[in-house]
Coordinates of all heavy atoms in Angstrom, one line a residue:
M531 N 119.1 -111.6 -28.4 CA 119.3 -110.2 -28.5 C 120.1 -109.9 -29.8 O 121.1 -110.5 -30.1 CB 120.1 -109.7 -27.3 CG 120.5 -108.2 -27.4 SD 121.3 -107.7 -25.9 CE 120.8 -106.1 -25.8
M532 N 119.6 -109.0 -30.7 CA 120.3 -108.7 -31.9 C 121.0 -107.4 -31.8 O 120.5 -106.4 -31.3 CB 119.2 -108.6 -33.0 CG 119.8 -108.3 -34.4 SD 118.5 -108.3 -35.6 CE 119.4 -107.8 -37.0
L533 N 122.3 -107.4 -32.2 CA 123.1 -106.2 -32.2 C 122.9 -105.5 -33.5 O 122.9 -106.1 -34.6 CB 124.5 -106.6 -32.0 CG 124.9 -107.2 -30.6 CD1 126.4 -107.5 -30.6 CD2 124.6 -106.2 -29.5
C534 N 122.7 -104.2 -33.5 CA 122.6 -103.4 -34.7 C 123.9 -102.9 -35.1 O 124.5 -102.0 -34.4 CB 121.6 -102.3 -34.5 SG 119.9 -102.8 -34.4
T535 N 124.5 -103.4 -36.1 CA 125.8 -102.9 -36.6 C 125.6 -102.1 -37.8 O 124.5 -102.2 -38.4 CB 126.8 -104.1 -36.9 OG1 126.2 -104.8 -37.9 CG2 127.0 -104.9 -35.6
T536 N 126.6 -101.4 -38.2 CA 126.4 -100.6 -39.5 C 126.2 -101.5 -40.7 O 125.4 -101.2 -41.5 CB 127.7 -99.8 -39.7 OG1 128.0 -99.0 -38.6 CG2 127.6 -98.9 -40.9
A537 N 126.8 -102.7 -40.7 CA 126.6 -103.7 -41.8 C 125.1 -104.1 -41.8 O 124.5 -104.2 -42.8 CB 127.5 -104.8 -41.6
N538 N 124.6 -104.4 -40.6 CA 123.2 -104.9 -40.5 C 122.2 -103.8 -41.0 O 121.3 -104.1 -41.7 CB 122.8 -105.3 -39.1 CG 123.4 -106.6 -38.7 OD1 124.0 -107.3 -39.5 ND2 123.4 -106.8 -37.4
I539 N 122.5 -102.6 -40.6 CA 121.6 -101.5 -41.0 C 121.7 -101.3 -42.5 O 120.7 -101.1 -43.2 CB 122.0 -100.2 -40.2 CG1 121.6 -100.4 -38.7 CG2 121.2 -99.0 -40.8 CD1 122.1 -99.3 -37.8
T540 N 122.9 -101.3 -43.0 CA 123.1 -101.1 -44.5 C 122.4 -102.2 -45.3 O 121.7 -101.9 -46.2 CB 124.6 -101.0 -44.8 OG1 125.2 -100.0 -44.1 CG2 124.8 -100.8 -46.3
E541 N 122.5 -103.4 -44.8 CA 121.9 -104.6 -45.5 C 120.4 -104.5 -45.4 O 119.7 -104.7 -46.4 CB 122.4 -105.9 -44.8 CG 121.8 -107.1 -45.5 CD 122.3 -108.4 -44.8 OE1 123.6 -108.4 -44.6 OE2 121.5 -109.3 -44.5
S542 N 119.9 -104.0 -44.2 CA 118.5 -103.9 -44.1 C 117.9 -102.8 -45.0 O 116.9 -103.0 -45.6 CB 118.2 -103.5 -42.6 OG 116.8 -103.2 -42.5
R543 N 118.6 -101.7 -45.2 CA 118.2 -100.6 -46.1 C 118.2 -101.1 -47.5 O 117.3 -100.8 -48.3 CB 119.1 -99.4 -46.0 CG 118.8 -98.7 -44.7 CD 119.7 -97.4 -44.6 NE 119.4 -96.7 -43.4 CZ 120.2 -95.9 -42.9 NH1 121.4 -95.5 -43.5 NH2 119.9 -95.3 -41.7
E544 N 119.2 -101.9 -47.9 CA 119.3 -102.5 -49.3 C 118.1 -103.4 -49.5 O 117.5 -103.4 -50.6 CB 120.6 -103.2 -49.5 CG 121.8 -102.3 -49.6 CD 123.1 -103.0 -49.7 OE1 123.1 -104.2 -49.8 OE2 124.1 -102.3 -49.7
V545 N 117.8 -104.2 -48.5 CA 116.6 -105.1 -48.7 C 115.3 -104.3 -48.9 O 114.5 -104.6 -49.7 CB 116.5 -106.1 -47.5 CG1 115.2 -106.8 -47.5 CG2 117.6 -107.0 -47.5
N546 N 115.2 -103.3 -48.0 CA 114.0 -102.4 -48.1 C 113.9 -101.7 -49.5 O 112.9 -101.6 -50.1 CB 114.0 -101.4 -47.0 CG 113.6 -102.0 -45.7 OD1 113.0 -103.0 -45.6 ND2 114.0 -101.3 -44.6
L547 N 115.1 -101.2 -50.0 CA 115.1 -100.6 -51.3 C 114.7 -101.5 -52.4 O 113.9 -101.2 -53.3 CB 116.4 -99.9 -51.6 CG 116.8 -98.7 -50.8 CD1 118.2 -98.3 -51.0 CD2 115.8 -97.6 -51.1
N548 N 115.2 -102.8 -52.3 CA 114.9 -103.8 -53.3 C 113.4 -104.1 -53.3 O 112.8 -104.3 -54.3 CB 115.8 -105.0 -53.2 CG 117.2 -104.8 -53.6 OD1 117.4 -103.9 -54.4 ND2 118.1 -105.5 -53.1
F549 N 112.9 -104.2 -52.0 CA 111.5 -104.5 -51.9 C 110.6 -103.4 -52.5 O 109.7 -103.7 -53.2 CB 111.1 -104.7 -50.4 CG 109.7 -104.9 -50.2 CD1 109.1 -106.1 -50.4 CD2 108.8 -103.9 -49.7 CE1 107.7 -106.3 -50.2 CE2 107.5 -104.1 -49.6 CZ 106.9 -105.3 -49.8
D550 N 111.0 -102.2 -52.3 CA 110.2 -101.0 -52.8 C 110.3 -101.0 -54.4 O 109.3 -100.7 -55.0 CB 110.8 -99.7 -52.3 CG 110.4 -99.5 -50.8 OD1 109.5 -100.2 -50.4 OD2 111.0 -98.7 -50.2
K551 N 111.5 -101.4 -54.9 CA 111.6 -101.4 -56.4 C 110.7 -102.5 -57.0 O 110.0 -102.3 -58.0 CB 113.1 -101.7 -56.8 CG 114.0 -100.6 -56.6 CD 115.4 -101.0 -57.0 CE 116.4 -99.9 -56.7 NZ 117.8 -100.3 -56.9
N552 N 110.7 -103.7 -56.3 CA 109.8 -104.8 -56.8 C 108.4 -104.4 -56.7 O 107.6 -104.7 -57.5 CB 110.1 -106.0 -56.0 CG 111.5 -106.6 -56.3 OD1 112.0 -106.4 -57.4 ND2 112.0 -107.4 -55.4
K553 N 108.0 -103.7 -55.6 CA 106.7 -103.3 -55.4 C 106.3 -102.3 -56.5 O 105.2 -102.4 -57.0 CB 106.5 -102.6 -54.0 CG 105.1 -102.3 -53.7 CD 104.9 -101.7 -52.3 CE 103.5 -101.3 -52.1 NZ 103.3 -100.7 -50.8
T554 N 107.2 -101.4 -56.9 CA 106.9 -100.4 -57.9 C 106.6 -101.1 -59.3 O 105.8 -100.7 -60.0 CB 108.0 -99.4 -58.0 OG1 108.1 -98.8 -56.7 CG2 107.7 -98.3 -59.0
L555 N 107.4 -102.1 -59.6 CA 107.3 -102.8 -60.8 C 106.0 -103.5 -61.0 O 105.4 -103.5 -62.1 CB 108.4 -103.8 -61.0 CG 109.8 -103.2 -61.2 CD1 110.9 -104.4 -61.2 CD2 109.9 -102.4 -62.5
T556 N 105.4 -104.0 -59.9 CA 104.2 -104.7 -60.0 C 103.1 -103.9 -59.3 O 102.1 -104.4 -58.9 CB 104.3 -106.1 -59.3 OG1 104.6 -105.9 -57.9 CG2 105.3 -106.9 -60.0
D557 N 103.3 -102.6 -59.1 CA 102.3 -101.8 -58.4 C 101.2 -101.3 -59.3 O 101.1 -100.2 -59.8 CB 103.1 -100.5 -57.8 CG 102.2 -99.8 -56.8 OD1 101.3 -100.4 -56.3 OD2 102.5 -98.6 -56.6
S558 N 100.3 -102.2 -59.5 CA 99.1 -102.0 -60.2 C 97.9 -102.3 -59.4 O 97.7 -103.5 -59.0 CB 99.1 -102.8 -61.5 OG 97.9 -102.7 -62.2
P559 N 97.1 -101.3 -59.1 CA 95.9 -101.6 -58.2 C 95.0 -102.6 -58.8 O 94.7 -102.5 -60.0 CB 95.3 -100.3 -57.9 CG 95.7 -99.5 -59.1 CD 97.0 -100.0 -59.5
S560 N 94.4 -103.5 -58.0 CA 93.4 -104.4 -58.6 C 92.0 -103.8 -58.6 O 91.2 -104.1 -59.4 CB 93.4 -105.7 -57.8 OG 93.1 -105.5 -56.5
N561 N 91.8 -102.9 -57.6 CA 90.5 -102.2 -57.6 C 90.7 -100.8 -57.1 O 91.8 -100.4 -56.7 CB 89.5 -103.0 -56.7 CG 89.9 -103.1 -55.3 OD1 90.3 -102.2 -54.7 ND2 89.9 -104.4 -54.8
L562 N 89.6 -100.1 -57.0 CA 89.7 -98.6 -56.7 C 90.2 -98.4 -55.2 O 90.8 -97.3 -55.0 CB 88.4 -98.0 -56.9 CG 88.4 -96.4 -56.9 CD1 89.2 -95.9 -58.0 CD2 87.0 -95.9 -57.0
T563 N 90.0 -99.3 -54.3 CA 90.5 -99.1 -53.0 C 92.0 -99.1 -52.9 O 92.5 -98.6 -51.9 CB 89.9 -100.2 -52.0 OG1 90.4 -101.5 -52.4 CG2 88.4 -100.2 -52.0
E564 N 92.7 -99.6 -53.9 CA 94.1 -99.7 -53.9 C 94.7 -98.6 -54.8 O 95.9 -98.5 -55.0 CB 94.6 -101.1 -54.4 CG 94.1 -102.2 -53.5 CD 94.4 -103.5 -54.1 OE1 94.9 -103.6 -55.2 OE2 94.1 -104.5 -53.4
A565 N 93.9 -97.8 -55.4 CA 94.4 -96.7 -56.3 C 95.1 -95.6 -55.6 O 94.9 -95.4 -54.4 CB 93.2 -96.2 -57.1
K566 N 95.9 -94.9 -56.3 CA 96.6 -93.8 -55.8 C 95.8 -92.5 -56.1 O 95.1 -92.5 -57.1 CB 98.0 -93.6 -56.5 CG 99.0 -94.7 -56.1 CD 100.3 -94.5 -56.8 CE 101.3 -95.6 -56.5 NZ 102.5 -95.4 -57.1
I567 N 95.9 -91.6 -55.1 CA 95.1 -90.4 -55.3 C 95.6 -89.5 -56.4 O 96.8 -89.4 -56.6 CB 95.1 -89.6 -53.9 CG1 94.3 -90.5 -52.9 CG2 94.5 -88.2 -54.0 CD1 94.3 -89.9 -51.5
S568 N 94.7 -88.9 -57.2 CA 95.0 -88.0 -58.3 C 95.6 -88.7 -59.5 O 96.2 -88.0 -60.3 CB 95.9 -86.9 -57.8 OG 95.2 -86.1 -56.8
K569 N 95.5 -90.0 -59.6 CA 96.0 -90.7 -60.7 C 94.9 -91.3 -61.5 O 93.9 -91.8 -60.9 CB 97.0 -91.8 -60.3 CG 97.6 -92.5 -61.5 CD 98.6 -93.6 -61.1 CE 99.2 -94.3 -62.3 NZ 100.1 -95.3 -61.9
E570 N 94.9 -91.1 -62.8 CA 93.8 -91.6 -63.6 C 94.0 -93.1 -64.0 O 95.1 -93.5 -64.2 CB 93.7 -90.8 -64.9 CG 93.1 -89.4 -64.7 CD 92.8 -88.7 -66.0 OE1 93.3 -89.2 -67.1 OE2 92.1 -87.7 -65.9
Y571 N 92.9 -93.8 -64.0 CA 93.0 -95.3 -64.3 C 91.9 -95.6 -65.3 O 90.9 -94.8 -65.4 CB 92.7 -96.1 -63.1 CG 93.8 -96.0 -62.0 CD1 93.7 -95.1 -61.0 CD2 94.9 -96.8 -62.1 CE1 94.6 -95.0 -60.0 CE2 95.9 -96.7 -61.1 CZ 95.8 -95.8 -60.1 OH 96.7 -95.7 -59.1
I572 N 92.0 -96.6 -66.1 CA 91.0 -97.1 -67.0 C 90.3 -98.3 -66.2 O 90.9 -99.2 -65.7 CB 91.6 -97.6 -68.3 CG1 92.4 -96.5 -69.0 CG2 90.5 -98.2 -69.2 CD1 91.5 -95.4 -69.5
I573 N 89.0 -98.2 -66.2 CA 88.2 -99.3 -65.6 C 88.3 -100.5 -66.5 O 87.9 -100.5 -67.7 CB 86.7 -98.8 -65.4 CG1 86.6 -97.6 -64.4 CG2 85.9 -100.0 -64.9 CD1 85.3 -97.0 -64.3
K574 N 88.7 -101.6 -65.9 CA 88.8 -102.9 -66.6 C 87.5 -103.7 -66.6 O 87.2 -104.4 -67.5 CB 90.0 -103.7 -66.1 CG 91.3 -103.1 -66.4 CD 92.4 -104.0 -65.9 CE 93.8 -103.4 -66.3 NZ 94.9 -104.2 -65.6
D575 N 86.9 -103.6 -65.4 CA 85.6 -104.3 -65.2 C 84.9 -103.9 -64.0 O 85.5 -103.3 -63.1 CB 85.9 -105.8 -65.2 CG 84.8 -106.7 -65.6 OD1 83.7 -106.2 -65.9 OD2 84.9 -107.9 -65.6
I576 N 83.7 -104.2 -63.9 CA 82.9 -104.1 -62.6 C 82.6 -105.5 -62.2 O 81.9 -106.2 -62.9 CB 81.6 -103.2 -62.9 CG1 81.9 -101.9 -63.5 CG2 80.8 -103.1 -61.6 CD1 82.7 -100.9 -62.6
I577 N 83.1 -105.8 -61.0 CA 82.8 -107.2 -60.5 C 82.0 -107.0 -59.2 O 82.4 -106.5 -58.2 CB 84.2 -107.8 -60.1 CG1 85.1 -107.8 -61.2 CG2 83.9 -109.2 -59.5 CD1 84.8 -108.8 -62.4
A578 N 80.8 -107.6 -59.3 CA 79.9 -107.6 -58.1 C 78.8 -108.6 -58.4 O 78.4 -108.9 -59.5 CB 79.2 -106.2 -58.0
D579 N 78.4 -109.2 -57.3 CA 77.3 -110.2 -57.4 C 75.9 -109.5 -57.5 O 75.0 -110.1 -58.1 CB 77.3 -111.1 -56.1 CG 78.5 -112.0 -56.1 OD1 79.1 -112.3 -57.2 OD2 78.9 -112.4 -55.0
D580 N 75.8 -108.3 -56.9 CA 74.6 -107.6 -56.9 C 74.4 -106.8 -58.2 O 75.2 -105.9 -58.5 CB 74.6 -106.7 -55.7 CG 73.3 -106.0 -55.5 OD1 72.3 -106.2 -56.2 OD2 73.2 -105.2 -54.5
Q581 N 73.4 -107.1 -58.9 CA 73.1 -106.4 -60.2 C 72.7 -105.0 -60.0 O 73.1 -104.1 -60.8 CB 72.0 -107.2 -61.0 CG 71.8 -106.6 -62.4 CD 73.0 -106.7 -63.3 OE1 73.7 -107.7 -63.3 NE2 73.3 -105.6 -64.1
D582 N 72.0 -104.7 -58.9 CA 71.7 -103.3 -58.6 C 72.9 -102.4 -58.4 O 73.0 -101.3 -58.8 CB 70.8 -103.2 -57.3 CG 69.4 -103.8 -57.5 OD1 69.0 -103.9 -58.7 OD2 68.8 -104.2 -56.5
L583 N 73.9 -103.0 -57.8 CA 75.2 -102.3 -57.6 C 75.9 -102.0 -58.9 O 76.3 -100.9 -59.1 CB 76.1 -103.2 -56.7 CG 77.4 -102.5 -56.2 CD1 77.7 -103.0 -54.8 CD2 78.6 -102.9 -57.0
K584 N 75.9 -103.0 -59.8 CA 76.4 -102.8 -61.1 C 75.7 -101.7 -61.9 O 76.2 -100.8 -62.5 CB 76.4 -104.1 -61.9 CG 77.4 -105.1 -61.5 CD 77.3 -106.3 -62.4 CE 78.2 -107.4 -62.0 NZ 78.1 -108.6 -62.9
D585 N 74.3 -101.8 -61.8 CA 73.5 -100.8 -62.5 C 73.7 -99.4 -61.9 O 73.8 -98.4 -62.7 CB 72.0 -101.1 -62.3 CG 71.7 -102.4 -63.1 OD1 72.5 -102.8 -63.9 OD2 70.6 -103.0 -62.8
F586 N 73.9 -99.3 -60.6 CA 74.1 -98.0 -60.0 C 75.5 -97.4 -60.5 O 75.5 -96.2 -60.9 CB 74.1 -98.1 -58.5 CG 74.5 -96.8 -57.8 CD1 73.6 -95.7 -57.8 CD2 75.7 -96.6 -57.2 CE1 73.8 -94.5 -57.2 CE2 76.0 -95.4 -56.6 CZ 75.1 -94.3 -56.6
L587 N 76.5 -98.2 -60.5 CA 77.8 -97.7 -61.0 C 77.7 -97.3 -62.5 O 78.3 -96.4 -62.9 CB 78.9 -98.8 -60.8 CG 79.3 -99.0 -59.3 CD1 80.3 -100.2 -59.2 CD2 80.0 -97.7 -58.8
F588 N 76.9 -98.1 -63.2 CA 76.7 -97.7 -64.6 C 76.1 -96.4 -64.8 O 76.5 -95.6 -65.7 CB 75.9 -98.8 -65.3 CG 75.8 -98.6 -66.8 CD1 76.8 -99.0 -67.7 CD2 74.7 -98.0 -67.4 CE1 76.7 -98.8 -69.0 CE2 74.6 -97.8 -68.7 CZ 75.6 -98.2 -69.6
T589 N 75.1 -96.0 -63.9 CA 74.5 -94.7 -64.0 C 75.4 -93.6 -63.7 O 75.2 -92.5 -64.1 CB 73.3 -94.6 -63.0 OG1 73.7 -94.8 -61.7 CG2 72.2 -95.7 -63.4
L590 N 76.5 -93.9 -62.9 CA 77.5 -92.9 -62.6 C 78.5 -92.7 -63.7 O 79.3 -91.8 -63.7 CB 78.3 -93.3 -61.3 CG 77.5 -93.4 -60.0 CD1 78.4 -93.7 -58.9 CD2 76.7 -92.1 -59.7
G591 N 78.5 -93.7 -64.6 CA 79.5 -93.6 -65.7 C 80.6 -94.6 -65.5 O 81.6 -94.5 -66.2
C592 N 80.5 -95.4 -64.5 CA 81.6 -96.4 -64.2 C 81.3 -97.7 -65.0 O 80.5 -98.5 -64.5 CB 81.6 -96.7 -62.7 SG 82.1 -95.3 -61.7
Y593 N 82.0 -97.8 -66.1 CA 81.9 -99.1 -66.9 C 83.2 -99.3 -67.6 O 84.1 -98.4 -67.6 CB 80.7 -99.0 -67.9 CG 80.6 -97.8 -68.7 CD1 81.4 -97.6 -69.8 CD2 79.8 -96.7 -68.3 CE1 81.3 -96.4 -70.6 CE2 79.7 -95.6 -69.0 CZ 80.4 -95.4 -70.2 OH 80.3 -94.3 -70.9
K594 N 83.4 -100.5 -68.1 CA 84.6 -100.9 -68.7 C 85.1 -99.9 -69.8 O 84.3 -99.5 -70.7 CB 84.4 -102.3 -69.4 CG 85.7 -102.9 -69.9 CD 85.4 -104.3 -70.4 CE 86.6 -105.0 -70.9 NZ 86.4 -106.3 -71.4
G595 N 86.3 -99.5 -69.7 CA 86.9 -98.6 -70.7 C 86.9 -97.2 -70.3 O 87.5 -96.3 -71.0
E596 N 86.1 -96.8 -69.3 CA 86.0 -95.4 -68.9 C 87.2 -95.0 -68.0 O 87.7 -95.8 -67.2 CB 84.7 -95.2 -68.1 CG 84.3 -93.8 -67.9 CD 84.3 -92.9 -69.1 OE1 83.6 -93.3 -70.1 OE2 84.9 -91.9 -69.2
T597 N 87.5 -93.7 -68.0 CA 88.6 -93.2 -67.2 C 88.0 -92.8 -65.8 O 86.9 -92.2 -65.8 CB 89.2 -92.0 -67.9 OG1 89.7 -92.4 -69.1 CG2 90.4 -91.5 -67.0
I598 N 88.7 -93.1 -64.8 CA 88.3 -92.8 -63.4 C 89.5 -92.3 -62.6 O 90.7 -92.8 -62.9 CB 87.6 -94.0 -62.7 CG1 87.0 -93.6 -61.4 CG2 88.6 -95.1 -62.6 CD1 86.1 -94.7 -60.8
A599 N 89.3 -91.4 -61.7 CA 90.4 -91.0 -60.8 C 89.9 -90.9 -59.4 O 88.7 -90.5 -59.2 CB 90.9 -89.6 -61.3
L600 N 90.7 -91.3 -58.5 CA 90.4 -91.2 -57.0 C 90.9 -89.8 -56.6 O 92.1 -89.5 -56.7 CB 91.1 -92.3 -56.3 CG 90.9 -92.3 -54.8 CD1 89.4 -92.5 -54.4 CD2 91.8 -93.4 -54.1
I601 N 90.0 -89.0 -56.0 CA 90.3 -87.7 -55.6 C 90.8 -87.7 -54.1 O 91.8 -87.1 -53.8 CB 89.1 -86.7 -55.7 CG1 88.6 -86.7 -57.2 CG2 89.4 -85.3 -55.2 CD1 89.7 -86.2 -58.2
S602 N 90.0 -88.4 -53.3 CA 90.4 -88.5 -51.9 C 89.6 -89.6 -51.2 O 88.7 -90.1 -51.8 CB 90.1 -87.1 -51.1 OG 88.7 -86.9 -51.1
I603 N 90.0 -89.9 -50.0 CA 89.4 -90.9 -49.2 C 89.0 -90.3 -47.9 O 89.9 -89.8 -47.2 CB 90.2 -92.2 -49.0 CG1 90.7 -92.8 -50.3 CG2 89.5 -93.2 -48.1 CD1 91.8 -93.8 -50.1
L604 N 87.7 -90.2 -47.6 CA 87.3 -89.6 -46.4 C 86.4 -90.5 -45.6 O 85.3 -90.8 -46.0 CB 86.5 -88.3 -46.7 CG 87.2 -87.2 -47.4 CD1 86.3 -86.1 -47.9 CD2 88.3 -86.6 -46.6
A605 N 86.9 -91.1 -44.5 CA 86.1 -91.9 -43.6 C 85.4 -93.0 -44.4 O 84.2 -93.1 -44.4 CB 85.2 -91.1 -42.8
E606 N 86.1 -93.9 -45.1 CA 85.6 -95.0 -45.9 C 84.8 -94.6 -47.1 O 84.1 -95.4 -47.7 CB 84.7 -95.9 -45.0 CG 85.5 -96.6 -43.8 CD 86.3 -97.7 -44.3 OE1 85.9 -98.5 -45.3 OE2 87.4 -97.9 -43.8
N607 N 84.8 -93.3 -47.4 CA 84.1 -92.9 -48.6 C 85.2 -92.4 -49.6 O 86.1 -91.7 -49.3 CB 83.2 -91.7 -48.3 CG 82.0 -92.1 -47.5 OD1 81.4 -93.1 -47.9 ND2 81.7 -91.4 -46.5
Y608 N 85.0 -92.9 -50.8 CA 86.0 -92.7 -51.9 C 85.4 -91.6 -52.8 O 84.4 -91.8 -53.4 CB 86.3 -93.9 -52.6 CG 87.0 -95.0 -51.8 CD1 86.3 -95.7 -50.9 CD2 88.4 -95.1 -51.9 CE1 87.0 -96.6 -50.1 CE2 89.1 -96.0 -51.1 CZ 88.4 -96.8 -50.2 OH 89.0 -97.7 -49.4
V609 N 86.0 -90.5 -52.9 CA 85.6 -89.4 -53.8 C 86.3 -89.6 -55.1 O 87.5 -89.7 -55.2 CB 85.9 -88.0 -53.2 CG1 85.5 -86.9 -54.2 CG2 85.3 -87.8 -51.8
I610 N 85.5 -89.8 -56.1 CA 86.0 -90.1 -57.5 C 85.6 -89.1 -58.5 O 84.6 -88.4 -58.2 CB 85.6 -91.5 -57.9 CG1 84.0 -91.6 -58.0 CG2 86.1 -92.6 -57.0 CD1 83.5 -92.9 -58.7
T611 N 86.2 -89.1 -59.6 CA 85.8 -88.3 -60.7 C 85.7 -89.2 -61.9 O 86.6 -90.0 -62.2 CB 86.7 -87.1 -61.0 OG1 86.2 -86.3 -62.1 CG2 88.1 -87.5 -61.3
V612 N 84.5 -89.1 -62.5 CA 84.2 -89.9 -63.8 C 83.5 -88.9 -64.7 O 82.5 -88.3 -64.3 CB 83.3 -91.1 -63.5 CG1 83.0 -91.9 -64.7 CG2 84.0 -92.0 -62.4
K613 N 83.9 -88.8 -65.9 CA 83.2 -88.0 -66.9 C 83.0 -86.5 -66.4 O 81.9 -86.0 -66.5 CB 81.9 -88.6 -67.3 CG 82.0 -89.9 -68.1 CD 80.7 -90.4 -68.5 CE 80.8 -91.6 -69.4 NZ 81.0 -91.2 -70.8
D614 N 84.0 -85.9 -65.8 CA 84.0 -84.6 -65.3 C 83.0 -84.4 -64.2 O 82.5 -83.3 -64.0 CB 83.7 -83.6 -66.4 CG 84.9 -83.5 -67.4 OD1 86.0 -83.8 -67.0 OD2 84.6 -83.3 -68.6
A615 N 82.6 -85.4 -63.5 CA 81.7 -85.3 -62.4 C 82.3 -86.0 -61.2 O 83.1 -86.9 -61.3 CB 80.3 -86.0 -62.7
R616 N 82.0 -85.5 -60.0 CA 82.6 -86.0 -58.8 C 81.5 -86.8 -58.0 O 80.3 -86.3 -57.9 CB 83.2 -85.0 -57.9 CG 84.4 -84.4 -58.4 CD 85.0 -83.5 -57.4 NE 86.3 -83.0 -58.0 CZ 87.3 -82.4 -57.3 NH1 87.1 -82.3 -56.0 NH2 88.4 -82.0 -57.9
Y617 N 81.8 -87.9 -57.5 CA 80.9 -88.7 -56.7 C 81.6 -89.2 -55.4 O 82.8 -89.4 -55.4 CB 80.4 -89.9 -57.5 CG 79.7 -89.5 -58.8 CD1 80.4 -89.7 -60.0 CD2 78.4 -89.0 -58.8 CE1 79.8 -89.4 -61.2 CE2 77.8 -88.7 -60.0 CZ 78.5 -88.9 -61.2 OH 77.9 -88.6 -62.4
S618 N 80.9 -89.5 -54.4 CA 81.4 -90.1 -53.2 C 80.7 -91.5 -53.1 O 79.5 -91.6 -53.1 CB 81.1 -89.3 -52.0 OG 81.5 -90.0 -50.8
I619 N 81.6 -92.6 -53.1 CA 81.1 -93.9 -53.1 C 81.7 -94.6 -51.9 O 82.7 -94.3 -51.4 CB 81.4 -94.7 -54.4 CG1 82.9 -94.8 -54.6 CG2 80.7 -94.1 -55.6 CD1 83.3 -95.7 -55.8
D620 N 81.0 -95.6 -51.4 CA 81.5 -96.4 -50.2 C 82.5 -97.4 -50.7 O 82.7 -97.6 -51.9 CB 80.4 -97.0 -49.4 CG 79.6 -98.1 -50.1 OD1 80.1 -98.5 -51.2 OD2 78.6 -98.5 -49.6
S621 N 83.1 -98.1 -49.7 CA 84.2 -99.0 -50.0 C 83.7 -100.3 -50.8 O 84.4 -100.8 -51.6 CB 84.9 -99.5 -48.7 OG 84.0 -100.0 -47.8
D622 N 82.4 -100.7 -50.6 CA 81.9 -101.8 -51.4 C 81.9 -101.5 -52.8 O 82.2 -102.3 -53.7 CB 80.5 -102.2 -50.9 CG 80.6 -102.8 -49.5 OD1 81.6 -103.4 -49.1 OD2 79.5 -102.8 -48.8
L623 N 81.4 -100.3 -53.1 CA 81.4 -99.9 -54.6 C 82.8 -99.7 -55.1 O 83.1 -100.1 -56.2 CB 80.6 -98.6 -54.7 CG 79.1 -98.6 -54.5 CD1 78.5 -97.2 -54.4 CD2 78.4 -99.4 -55.6
A624 N 83.7 -99.2 -54.3 CA 85.1 -99.0 -54.8 C 85.7 -100.3 -55.0 O 86.5 -100.4 -56.0 CB 85.8 -98.2 -53.7
R625 N 85.5 -101.3 -54.2 CA 86.1 -102.6 -54.4 C 85.5 -103.3 -55.7 O 86.2 -104.1 -56.3 CB 85.8 -103.5 -53.2 CG 86.9 -103.5 -52.2 CD 86.7 -104.6 -51.2 NE 85.6 -104.4 -50.3 CZ 85.6 -103.6 -49.3 NH1 86.7 -103.0 -48.9 NH2 84.5 -103.4 -48.6
A626 N 84.3 -103.0 -56.1 CA 83.7 -103.6 -57.3 C 84.3 -103.0 -58.6 O 84.3 -103.7 -59.6 CB 82.2 -103.3 -57.3
I627 N 85.0 -101.9 -58.5 CA 85.6 -101.3 -59.7 C 87.0 -101.8 -59.9 O 87.9 -101.5 -59.1 CB 85.6 -99.7 -59.6 CG1 84.2 -99.2 -59.4 CG2 86.3 -99.1 -60.8 CD1 84.1 -97.8 -59.1
R628 N 87.2 -102.6 -60.9 CA 88.5 -103.2 -61.2 C 89.3 -102.3 -62.1 O 88.8 -101.8 -63.1 CB 88.4 -104.6 -61.8 CG 87.6 -105.6 -61.0 CD 88.4 -105.9 -59.7 NE 87.5 -106.7 -58.9 CZ 88.0 -107.2 -57.8 NH1 89.2 -107.0 -57.3 NH2 87.1 -108.0 -57.0
L629 N 90.6 -102.1 -61.8 CA 91.4 -101.2 -62.5 C 92.5 -102.0 -63.2 O 92.9 -103.0 -62.9 CB 92.0 -100.1 -61.6 CG 91.0 -99.3 -60.8 CD1 91.8 -98.4 -59.8 CD2 90.1 -98.5 -61.7

């Protein structure tokens, strides 16, 4: 049985604050599924085994060096904006977009 004392609670909060600071320092999404809403990112690469998937993303304007922003996530669909156009893509496509 663990007793919650003021010292334990304070120490726990400090640990949580330090964890959050460390997370912020390295908080860079690896793909679109980890992106923050309404923040613009530069596409670093499109990683997919399926060439059709890469071609489809290219037709949307999703290619290396292009700016992309996540507008919202609705039931596994990621609403994005690329080149002043909005699209809804599924999670497989979102995972293929490296940020």
